[in-house]
Amino acid sequence: MTDELSAAPTPAHRPTERVFHGDTVVDPFEWMRDKTDPEVIAHLEAENAYADARTAHLEQLRATLVQEFIGHTQETDLSVPVRRGDWWYITRTTAGDDYPKFTRVADTGTMPQVEPGVMLEGEHVLLDAQAEAAGAEFYSLGGLAPSPDHTLLATAVDTAGDERFTLRITDIASGEVLDEAVTGAGYGLAFSTDQQWLFYARVDDAWRQHQIWRHRIGGPAGEDMLVIEEPDERFMIGFDRSRDGSTLVIQAGSTSTTEAWLLDLARPTSTPVPAGGRREGVDYTVEHAGDRLLIVHNDGHRGFALAQAALESPERREELLAAAEGERLLSIEAFAGFVALELRSGGLASVRLIPRAADGTLLIEQASDISHGGELDTVEIDANPNWDQTTVRYQLTSMLTPPTIAEREVASGATEILRVTPVPHFDPSLYVERREWATAADGTAIPLSVVARRDVPADGTAPGYLYGYGSYEMSIDPSFVPTRLSLLDRGVVIAIAHVRGGGEMGRNWYEHGKLLEKKNSFSDFVAAAAHLTDSGQVAADRLSAEGRSAGGLLMGGIANLAPERFRAIIAGVPFVDALTTILDPSLPLTVGEWEEWGDPLHDPAVYEYMRGYTPYENITAVEYPAIFASTSLNDTRVFFNEPAKWVARLRETVTSDQVERPILFRCEMVAGHGGRSGRYRKWEQRADELAWLLDQLGATELA
């Protein structure tokens, strides 16, 4: 054993027994769960020091990557102005600043012509996040909402990374802070019509958003009123303000079931009115459409359907449109003169526009889809806050298309490109993107989104990078990520494996990758890896992989299932001790997760199935890829101890040479589920990961 390897932290074995369904599991590292234990903190700090030592030789490459990331970014930049009422709201970034400024300027009848770094006459800074974050190691803005008459601004700020926010209400004209009484809030901000009340959410000890509260502006938080509480631990609750400003739309949901209520914002102390009820397995979303409700639901429709209902009788639905074969209807956004339906079709995100007649009727026969014809185009609704607008803004992106904001006139179909995100030193003609298909073990065709430089030959020598997620019906759609250019320009072939468990190919795709079919996600990813190497696009000994959060579970699963397929793996905030977590209903989100993974606490079959794939408990004494795991001490979604335990067991079990294939672990001591805050610090964190990855792939030099 070398001195370098012997420096790896080796936490003490303190065996604890876990006994369920006649199965006894001895866990030597469960003691590391307690982040108040000085020995645990010392171990995490030792892991960080070890990672520093093992990557010290990459210091110059890290610095180079950060400069490349910056070089592909217009540092002083701005958003397309968004009109809200009589004001245009703008977000500005400045070179050297981690955080943006939020500004506005009065509407004069047309969208203002804006320039990066040049303030308009009369433009007013609402929030300087860079100044607000001064002195804080972590800063996250969880919400920013102007009041109905645009005289007040409500913000939600987290400076710990635990996604619990302090609320602040400011008088925009004077800058005076009127209220910051509410702390520990969840996501969501909405003013009452009279601006006397602010609605917000609270989370319980398990970080489940379970209550909606009403706070009188200027009053003490102790006098706040509970509006509604969700008692079922499987459900989380949230709200939105309707586009016409009349109604608070409250929705509680698990992964399979929904219930909705409406509250009249002109009567803020009134009781929420049911808007659809709750039936097990019926999943729906409600959109307040002025004179009616629009509902996207799965009651009798696997791909979901669009229905409408009267405001007075939301339970009596009239079907308007059902998903066609290969489609999955996602959500609906209503305007006075049209609606915009977000859906998936052919594995891609799309938007369908449906005009409304003068009486509000949806003219289904006149529906049209927004399309730009790209094989990997992702089209999604952008900010459209005004009820009476006649155009719809949307965002177009792909793996080679920088985020593009466009606006379509619904009546005529005329489209205007408002902005293409500038990407300095990027020539798209040097690259190619395409859709490919792998064949899973059961014969299912698995879509991949692939991008590479045109000059990279498919001769079996190129390094590769494969990303995946595959849970919660979340889709990892093709999108432009500037930091990927540093991989592409070193000859790395990049692919996304759209495995089952995600939502890319519709509801069935999700259902065949969850519960007792979860292992499909792992085998699909391995099939995608085999496709890349068997086709000659990637060298068999130079393929890497990455997944984060539930995608980290995917990484742990494929490392156990097919370790020979991968040279290196990045596992970010990985959910790798899944069975231990899902067995403990006192832990954050566990009960709500039973609909995704199953309930191993009460069901022996689920326990046995999860016991067979949970990464921490299935490591074997064979050669493994190099592994870089990362987490954050204050992560409330995946606790830091999961990767800490996983890494410790990997190191003492695998037979691979850990000098050549190191197993590293970094823990951010002040951060949350998304890692560091601030764009420059995020770039530094990403450079740390990618420098390690490129070193493992032997691809540190530009091609």
Side-chain angles (χ1 to χ4, degrees):
M1 182 177 290
T2 69
D3 291 340
E4 188 175 25
L5 181 56
S6 65
T10 53
H13 279 224
R14 295 177 186 167
T16 59
E17 287 191 352
R18 188 191 73 203
V19 182
F20 289 95
H21 309 298
D23 181 44
T24 299
V25 174
V26 178
D27 187 344
F29 301 125
E30 178 61 15
W31 65 271
M32 289 197 287
R33 181 176 298 277
D34 182 8
K35 72 177 182 180
T36 66
D37 183 342
E39 190 172 348
V40 172
I41 297 300
H43 173 71
L44 298 177
E45 290 172 342
E47 286 283 12
N48 286 338
Y50 178 67
D52 287 343
R54 291 301 306 270
T55 60
H57 65 291
L58 299 173
E59 180 179 1
Q60 183 55 55
L61 179 56
R62 287 193 294 266
T64 298
L65 290 175
V66 169
Q67 289 307 307
E68 289 176 12
F69 301 164
I70 293 172
H72 290 308
T73 304
Q74 184 167 293
E75 295 176 87
T76 298
D77 205 355
L78 77 172
S79 66
V80 177
V82 175
R83 184 177 66 83
R84 298 177 185 272
D86 295 331
W87 299 89
W88 290 92
Y89 286 78
I90 305 165
T91 303
R92 292 182 175 272
T93 58
T94 303
D97 286 356
D98 267 315
Y99 305 100
K101 290 183 177 69
F102 299 90
T103 71
R104 75 175 186 185
V105 66
D107 179 29
T108 59
T110 59
M111 186 174 75
Q113 299 301 304
V114 291
E115 296 180 43
V118 180
M119 294 282 283
L120 299 171
E121 183 178 352
E123 187 175 352
H124 175 74
V125 177
L126 300 171
L127 177 69
D128 183 343
Q130 181 71 18
E132 290 281 331
E137 289 188 60
F138 182 90
Y139 177 90
S140 175
L141 186 65
L144 185 149
S147 62
D149 71 356
H150 298 266
T151 61
L152 305 178
L153 183 73
T155 58
V157 172
D158 167 23
T159 55
D162 61 359
E163 297 180 83
R164 291 172 170 86
F165 300 93
T166 296
L167 307 187
R168 176 183 293 174
I169 301 168
T170 305
D171 179 272
I172 291 176
S174 68
E176 179 186 359
V177 175
L178 304 177
D179 192 314
E180 46 188 352
V182 177
T183 60
Y187 287 98
L189 297 168
F191 285 92
S192 61
T193 303
D194 62 10
Q195 302 184 174
Q196 298 300 304
W197 301 90
L198 183 74
F199 292 87
Y200 67 95
R202 285 205 178 276
V203 297
D204 61 16
D205 291 340
W207 196 75
R208 179 178 69 94
Q209 193 155 296
H210 69 130
Q211 295 173 334
I212 307 299
W213 287 77
R214 182 177 61 245
H215 171 69
R216 181 178 285 280
I217 296 171
E223 295 180 3
D224 290 0
M225 302 296 294
L226 178 64
V227 175
I228 191 169
E229 180 171 11
E230 175 50 65
D232 191 326
E233 292 182 81
R234 298 175 302 158
F235 287 71
M236 297 180 74
I237 196 166
F239 60 86
D240 284 301
R241 192 167 177 264
S242 64
R243 188 168 275 101
D244 67 1
S246 69
T247 305
L248 194 72
V249 181
I250 301 169
Q251 299 191 89
S254 68
T255 60
S256 65
T257 306
T258 310
E259 184 172 5
W261 301 262
L262 306 176
L263 188 147
D264 185 351
L265 286 170
R267 299 170 54 240
T269 61
S270 62
T271 300
V273 176
R278 180 179 304 188
R279 282 194 291 133
E280 195 69 28
V282 176
D283 187 3
Y284 65 95
T285 59
V286 170
E287 173 78 353
H288 191 284
D291 62 347
R292 69 196 69 196
L293 297 177
L294 296 175
I295 306 104
V296 175
H297 68 91
N298 70 338
D299 192 4
H301 298 275
R302 181 61 62 90
F304 286 63
L306 173 63
Q308 65 181 4
L311 295 172
E312 302 77 22
S313 52
E315 71 285 349
R316 297 172 60 183
R317 298 173 181 168
E318 175 191 353
E319 297 292 330
L320 298 175
L321 173 69
E325 185 68 28
E327 290 183 346
R328 160 71 158 97
L329 307 189
L330 298 173
S331 63
I332 190 84
E333 295 201 21
F335 303 82
F338 66 96
V339 300
L341 176 65
E342 291 199 289
L343 69 154
R344 302 198 63 79
S345 180
L348 295 172
S350 184
V351 175
R352 182 168 298 162
L353 302 179
I354 305 173
R356 300 180 74 175
D359 64 358
T361 301
L362 271 63
L363 304 175
I364 302 294
E365 68 282 359
Q366 296 181 27
S368 62
D369 289 359
I370 296 175
S371 174
H372 286 255
E375 188 178 13
L376 296 182
D377 282 355
T378 296
V379 178
E380 296 176 322
I381 293 293
D382 199 60
N384 293 277
N386 300 298
W387 172 246
D388 59 353
Q389 65 188 65
T390 58
T391 60
V392 62
R393 278 193 191 177
Y394 62 93
Q395 179 171 285
L396 165 71
T397 187
S398 75
M399 297 183 84
L400 290 178
T401 305
T404 300
I405 305 300
E407 190 167 75
R408 177 163 295 190
E409 178 69 44
V410 176
S412 67
T415 299
E416 179 183 3
I417 301 297
L418 300 179
R419 185 174 193 269
V420 178
T421 301
V423 183
H425 314 297
F426 167 59
D427 179 358
S429 69
L430 299 178
Y431 311 87
V432 60
E433 63 179 352
R434 56 187 175 267
R435 170 56 49 87
E436 297 188 10
W437 299 86
T439 302
D442 62 2
T444 301
I446 310 300
L448 287 83
S449 299
V450 182
V451 62
R453 284 186 65 103
R454 289 185 184 275
D455 56 5
V456 173
D459 61 0
T461 64
Y465 165 91
L466 183 61
Y467 188 88
Y469 187 76
S471 293
Y472 304 111
E473 203 181 359
M474 287 183 61
S475 299
I476 306 300
D477 286 313
S479 64
F480 187 83
V481 180
T483 55
R484 288 183 186 149
L485 293 174
S486 292
L487 297 181
L488 292 170
D489 290 343
R490 287 170 172 81
V492 179
V493 176
I494 293 176
I496 302 170
H498 304 289
V499 301
R500 282 174 285 186
E504 286 89 342
M505 301 298 289
R507 190 69 162 195
N508 272 340
W509 200 250
Y510 166 53
E511 291 179 348
H512 288 303
K514 63 183 291 195
L515 298 172
L516 297 182
E517 295 185 78
K518 184 63 210 169
K519 292 179 184 178
N520 282 338
S521 303
F522 311 143
S523 56
D524 287 357
F525 194 88
V526 172
H531 170 80
L532 291 175
T533 56
D534 293 350
S535 63
Q537 296 178 74
V538 174
D541 60 351
R542 300 184 77 190
L543 178 61
S544 63
E546 181 175 12
R548 310 187 76 85
S549 193
L553 168 68
L554 178 64
M555 294 300 99
I558 60 103
N560 292 335
L561 178 62
E564 73 284 354
R565 284 280 181 190
F566 304 95
R567 179 61 182 80
I569 289 175
I570 295 175
V573 290
F575 182 43
V576 283
D577 192 16
L579 183 53
T580 300
T581 295
I582 298 301
L583 280 166
D584 188 348
S586 72
L587 293 177
L589 308 181
T590 287
V591 174
E593 296 286 298
W594 285 346
E595 291 188 358
E596 180 74 18
W597 315 102
D599 175 6
L601 182 62
H602 302 102
D603 188 333
V606 172
Y607 178 90
E608 182 179 4
Y609 187 78
M610 291 191 71
R611 181 80 162 83
Y613 74 72
T614 184
Y616 175 62
E617 297 177 31
N618 287 280
I619 300 166
T620 55
V622 299
E623 290 197 353
Y624 268 60
I627 290 174
F628 189 119
S630 63
T631 191
S632 300
L633 185 64
N634 295 328
D635 190 344
T636 54
R637 304 190 190 204
V638 179
F639 277 12
F640 70 92
N641 62 291
E642 295 205 22
K645 292 168 59 176
W646 182 54
V647 163
R649 179 165 278 177
L650 280 166
R651 286 197 188 121
E652 67 179 28
T653 306
V654 304
T655 62
S656 39
D657 182 344
Q658 291 182 46
V659 173
E660 180 184 349
R661 296 189 173 195
I663 298 171
L664 303 184
F665 175 44
R666 283 203 187 277
C667 181
E668 295 295 327
M669 305 307 282
V670 183
H673 193 62
R676 299 177 191 174
S677 68
R679 58 178 178 165
Y680 290 94
R681 283 182 282 188
K682 283 185 178 294
W683 285 333
E684 290 169 357
Q685 185 175 19
R686 190 57 175 159
D688 186 36
E689 296 170 341
L690 293 187
W692 175 87
L693 188 75
L694 290 166
D695 186 47
Q696 290 298 311
L697 295 179
T700 59
E701 301 298 323
L702 290 169

